[in-house]
Amino acid sequence: MDELCLFCNDYKPHVLCLNETWLDENISDEELRLTDYNIIRRDRDCLGGGVAVYIADHLKFNLINIENNSNIEALWFELIPPKGKKVLFGSVYRPPNSDASVFSKEIESMLTNYSTDDKETILLGDFNFDIALNSSCLQPRAKNFLRMTRVFHLTQIITEYTRITEHSKFTIF
């Protein structure tokens, strides 16, 4: 929490999305409080996972409740700026062992339900797909996800390898 507090004091982000928070009902929002920020979170019912979002308290937002039957670890909300159009945010975590095709279909469904032409859409998170920059043959599950993001005019901003070992390089997003 100290590092998070320092980061927010130095950079003053309007929105900060965290994945794999490992939070549960035993940790209160008060313990996670950052000065000048609201926190929203979706904890996993068991060990691991989870997402949390800090939103600067001077900004208005509406939390969007996702369907109870969704297995997606996600928080969706609309940021309502004083001027200009609303911004839809999705903060999402996909565990590496989850079904990638089901995940892509559920995210596509959520984007279909929540995104509209009158608001910008920002999808953030840890999707656990490898889109290695030197890979001419992407995994089919990564291709499906990237195809879906293009349909919604989303742009991948990770441009460098995120994991490098002695024998391999990965661009995990």
Side-chain angles (χ1 to χ4, degrees), residues 155-170:
T155 303
Q156 173 59 31
I157 60 172
I158 295 174
T159 59
E160 298 177 6
Y161 294 112
T162 57
R163 182 172 183 210
I164 300 172
T165 68
E166 186 177 324
H167 303 289
S168 61
K169 295 179 182 179
F170 300 96

Side-chain angles (χ1 to χ4, degrees), residues 53-129:
V53 177
Y54 287 94
I55 302 171
D57 64 6
H58 69 277
L59 298 173
K60 291 184 181 181
F61 68 94
N62 289 328
L63 182 62
I64 299 171
N65 291 318
I66 59 175
E67 309 84 45
N68 290 334
N69 62 349
S70 175
N71 295 320
I72 300 280
E73 294 181 46
L75 286 169
W76 291 89
F77 60 96
E78 290 177 333
L79 205 57
I80 306 165
K83 296 179 182 177
K85 60 184 181 178
K86 295 178 183 176
V87 180
L88 173 69
F89 279 84
S91 178
V92 181
Y93 173 66
R94 182 183 80 82
N97 60 350
S98 67
D99 186 317
S101 62
V102 170
F103 174 82
S104 293
K105 286 177 187 172
E106 285 196 41
I107 293 295
E108 185 170 10
S109 174
M110 289 174 180
L111 285 165
T112 299
N113 289 335
Y114 308 139
S115 75
T116 61
D117 289 339
D118 67 335
K119 53 186 143 173
E120 186 175 340
T121 300
I122 299 174
L123 182 62
L124 303 163
D126 183 353
F127 311 116
N128 277 304
F129 290 112

Side-chain angles (χ1 to χ4, degrees), residues 1 4 8 14-24 27-29 32-34 37-44 48-55 61 63 73-77 89-93 124-126:
M1 285 303 302
L4 197 56
C8 288
H14 289 104
V15 175
L16 179 66
C17 299
L18 304 173
N19 291 287
E20 287 194 80
T21 58
W22 287 60
L23 299 173
D24 62 28
I27 300 172
S28 70
D29 285 354
L32 304 169
R33 189 166 125 29
L34 292 176
Y37 286 89
N38 296 299
I39 184 172
I40 54 177
R41 56 193 252 203
R42 180 164 183 194
D43 301 340
R44 190 188 285 182
V51 294
V53 177
Y54 287 94
I55 302 171
F61 68 94
L63 182 62
E73 294 181 46
L75 286 169
W76 291 89
F77 60 96
F89 279 84
S91 178
V92 181
Y93 173 66
L124 303 163
D126 183 353

